[in-house]
Amino acid sequence: MNNLWPPSREFWATEFPGHTSDRTTPYLFKSLIPASAAAPGDVLDGLAAMRCAHATGMPHAAKARVYVGEERHDDLVETVLAKDGWEEGAFVPWMQSLVGADRFSLVINNLETVSPPLAAGLGTFLGSLHEGWGVPIGGSEQVAFAGNYSGTAFGVHEGAEDAFLLHLGPGIKLFYCWPGEEYQQLTGGTAPLFGDYQWLLKHGERFIMEPGDALFLPRRVFHVGRQDTFSISVAVPLYTFPDDRLLRLSLLPDLLDAVLGEDAGDSFGTPSPMHAAAGGSAPAAQRLTERARTALTAISGQLEAAAGQHVERRWEATASNGGWEVVNNDLARAQAAAAFQPEQIVPGATVAVPAPYQLRIAEPQRAFLRGIEVTCDTGPLTGDLVAALNAGTPVTLPQDEPLRSTITALGTTGGIRITTGPATAEAPA
């Protein structure tokens, strides 16, 4: 097997579809993820960052859930975030003392927003996936599963999207999978199975996951994980949201709001008329029908342009965020933005775009960085300069006021790092 890091285009073009029946069946890729890209300590550091933010009242998008067995304990989340921290190497007994049980499960969503090392390391994997396979319109997130649980707290269940489960260790995880049709035949339905499902395991395909392994888990495959000793895995789902969902929740509401939205100069709006009681409800219904038909006709002529703008913004924002979904209250982004000091953007200073983020130029007055759209003069950003920044190369700023002004504007995203010395060969601006 090709264990190059990150996986090559050849891996995604031939080896990956070949082992997964053209991306439709689970397959365990052994030793695919190096410890330098993702390690158990990175996840615990992310939890520590959440605890620090909780202590200072700083909002953050990462969400923790605590389970004992299959029972969710939202009351313990505050305990995990607020109690004194664990001593080095003692996370497991610390958690056991907090939950009052020997076995536990801790799930963290949007881990990438509190762990820059994991955002960068697994962002490298995600970038190669985009180049070699394709781009999910909704981006991806990191979902950590930490614990010594005897079974995934969600029971035997199915996923709505394709995903990779990356096992970081230190222990071993046993993972079981069933195709949807087989699961329905065995259980009589599609509902998750909780409690004692030992009888079902012998019918599943079993994977023995060791640190560094990556399991491809196709959508609609039923699965469950089990482990006897503490270990951590990180799931990376690929959010290929249905087109109808994007239209229903995003594009069409925006268009209808533009056509039917309230007049800023007349907050009361145009009232409907009084309707004669003898006429019944039909005239009111007809009036609404005609208004709706007029509005739908109006937006039909705007659909192509609106869809183009909507998808472009979503696409560029996600790409500039390293492929991770763009969420509010991204803690690491907020902290990086707060640490940015505009007065340091002077001739001779060196700046860089930290991995995995990318500077994307949309048009002369618009750019995207770290998921944020920025209005600025993109003229000074030459192709070579953007390529150097996106490669992570520190760039020395010249005597160029327009360029420094643009860099300053981009720094408000948290996507510009001022370096005191180059980590790699410097690139001139």
Side-chain angles (χ1 to χ4, degrees), residues 153-194:
F154 313 146
V156 183
H157 62 288
E158 64 178 327
E161 55 279 317
D162 295 334
F164 280 88
L165 183 66
L166 314 175
H167 191 58
L168 311 187
I172 291 175
K173 180 190 290 290
L174 299 180
F175 209 82
Y176 298 82
C177 295
W178 298 262
E181 183 176 346
E182 180 183 0
Y183 181 84
Q184 292 182 52
Q185 292 174 349
L186 290 167
T187 67
T190 61
L193 192 61
F194 295 96

Side-chain angles (χ1 to χ4, degrees), residues 258-281:
V259 173
L260 300 175
E262 293 182 356
D263 183 351
D266 182 8
S267 60
F268 290 103
T270 302
S272 61
M274 298 290 286
H275 296 280
S281 63

Side-chain angles (χ1 to χ4, degrees), residues 395-420:
V395 171
T396 303
L397 296 177
Q399 291 279 358
D400 186 334
E401 180 57 34
L403 173 60
R404 297 199 305 276
S405 177
T406 297
I407 294 295
T408 298
L410 293 171
T412 62
T413 67
I416 294 291
R417 183 174 60 209
I418 302 171
T419 63
T420 56

Side-chain angles (χ1 to χ4, degrees), residues 12-104:
W12 295 110
T14 59
E15 189 171 344
F16 174 55
H19 282 304
T20 60
S21 303
D22 199 19
R23 311 175 187 90
T24 61
T25 59
Y27 186 82
L28 183 63
F29 295 92
K30 300 294 293 182
S31 302
L32 188 67
I33 310 296
S36 58
D42 296 329
V43 177
L44 298 186
D45 287 345
L47 175 61
M50 293 171 63
R51 286 167 44 80
C52 288
H54 182 79
T56 60
M58 190 169 187
H60 58 86
K63 179 181 179 182
R65 286 171 285 164
V66 178
Y67 297 85
V68 177
E70 294 171 340
E71 185 176 347
R72 178 169 166 173
H73 287 265
D74 289 341
D75 57 305
L76 291 176
V77 173
E78 173 68 20
T79 301
V80 168
L81 294 178
K83 286 290 186 179
D84 292 340
W86 59 93
E87 295 181 2
E88 185 174 356
F91 176 75
V92 173
W94 180 79
M95 278 293 299
Q96 290 171 329
S97 68
L98 295 186
V99 304
D102 289 336
R103 310 195 78 169
F104 65 90

Side-chain angles (χ1 to χ4, degrees), residues 16-394:
F16 174 55
H19 282 304
T20 60
S21 303
D22 199 19
R23 311 175 187 90
T24 61
T25 59
Y27 186 82
L28 183 63
F29 295 92
K30 300 294 293 182
S31 302
L32 188 67
I33 310 296
S36 58
D42 296 329
V43 177
L44 298 186
D45 287 345
L47 175 61
M50 293 171 63
R51 286 167 44 80
C52 288
H54 182 79
T56 60
M58 190 169 187
H60 58 86
K63 179 181 179 182
R65 286 171 285 164
V66 178
Y67 297 85
V68 177
E70 294 171 340
E71 185 176 347
R72 178 169 166 173
H73 287 265
D74 289 341
D75 57 305
L76 291 176
V77 173
E78 173 68 20
T79 301
V80 168
L81 294 178
K83 286 290 186 179
D84 292 340
W86 59 93
E87 295 181 2
E88 185 174 356
F91 176 75
V92 173
W94 180 79
M95 278 293 299
Q96 290 171 329
S97 68
L98 295 186
V99 304
D102 289 336
R103 310 195 78 169
F104 65 90
S105 174
L106 173 67
V107 180
I108 303 175
N109 285 87
N110 286 117
L111 179 65
E112 74 283 353
T113 65
V114 292
S115 176
L118 284 174
L122 296 185
T124 300
F125 173 77
L126 199 57
S128 76
L129 182 152
H130 289 180
E131 291 294 325
W133 179 9
V135 179
I137 191 65
S140 297
E141 69 167 314
Q142 295 177 22
V143 186
F145 296 85
N148 56 3
Y149 46 88
S150 59
T152 306
F154 313 146
V156 183
H157 62 288
E158 64 178 327
E161 55 279 317
D162 295 334
F164 280 88
L165 183 66
L166 314 175
H167 191 58
L168 311 187
I172 291 175
K173 180 190 290 290
L174 299 180
F175 209 82
Y176 298 82
C177 295
W178 298 262
E181 183 176 346
E182 180 183 0
Y183 181 84
Q184 292 182 52
Q185 292 174 349
L186 290 167
T187 67
T190 61
L193 192 61
F194 295 96
D196 183 9
Y197 45 76
Q198 189 70 32
W199 63 271
L200 183 64
L201 300 182
K202 65 182 180 181
H203 298 286
E205 183 176 11
R206 188 178 78 158
F207 300 95
I208 302 175
M209 301 189 69
E210 300 174 294
D213 291 352
L215 175 68
F216 174 63
L217 192 61
R219 71 189 73 182
R220 310 314 296 268
V221 168
F222 287 81
H223 57 273
V224 71
R226 296 167 63 85
Q227 51 201 54
D228 290 326
T229 59
F230 176 75
S231 68
I232 299 176
S233 301
V234 176
V236 178
L238 309 178
Y239 289 139
T240 48
F241 297 138
D243 292 340
D244 287 353
R245 178 180 174 184
L246 291 176
L247 289 172
R248 185 178 74 253
L249 299 181
S250 299
L251 181 58
L252 292 180
D254 289 346
L255 277 173
L256 285 170
D257 188 63
V259 173
L260 300 175
E262 293 182 356
D263 183 351
D266 182 8
S267 60
F268 290 103
T270 302
S272 61
M274 298 290 286
H275 296 280
S281 63
Q286 181 61 33
R287 180 183 175 88
L288 281 179
T289 300
E290 291 173 357
R291 183 68 187 102
R293 183 176 290 114
T294 300
L296 292 174
T297 300
I299 70 170
S300 67
Q302 304 173 28
L303 278 174
E304 186 171 356
Q309 293 172 2
H310 178 86
V311 172
E312 183 228 21
R313 282 193 169 89
R314 179 183 289 270
W315 185 278
E316 296 296 339
T318 303
S320 74
N321 204 39
W324 304 117
E325 64 176 346
V326 181
V327 296
N328 295 326
N329 297 325
D330 182 321
L331 179 64
R333 183 178 65 210
Q335 291 175 330
F340 179 76
Q341 298 179 319
E343 64 273 14
Q344 294 185 6
I345 302 298
V346 296
T350 57
V351 297
V353 172
Y357 311 110
Q358 298 280 291
L359 173 58
R360 309 276 294 195
I361 309 301
E363 54 189 43
Q365 294 296 322
R366 198 160 56 94
F368 290 82
L369 182 58
R370 204 158 181 170
I372 303 298
E373 184 175 354
V374 182
T375 300
C376 63
D377 180 11
T378 63
L381 300 171
T382 66
D384 289 343
L385 173 60
V386 172
L389 288 171
N390 287 342
T393 305

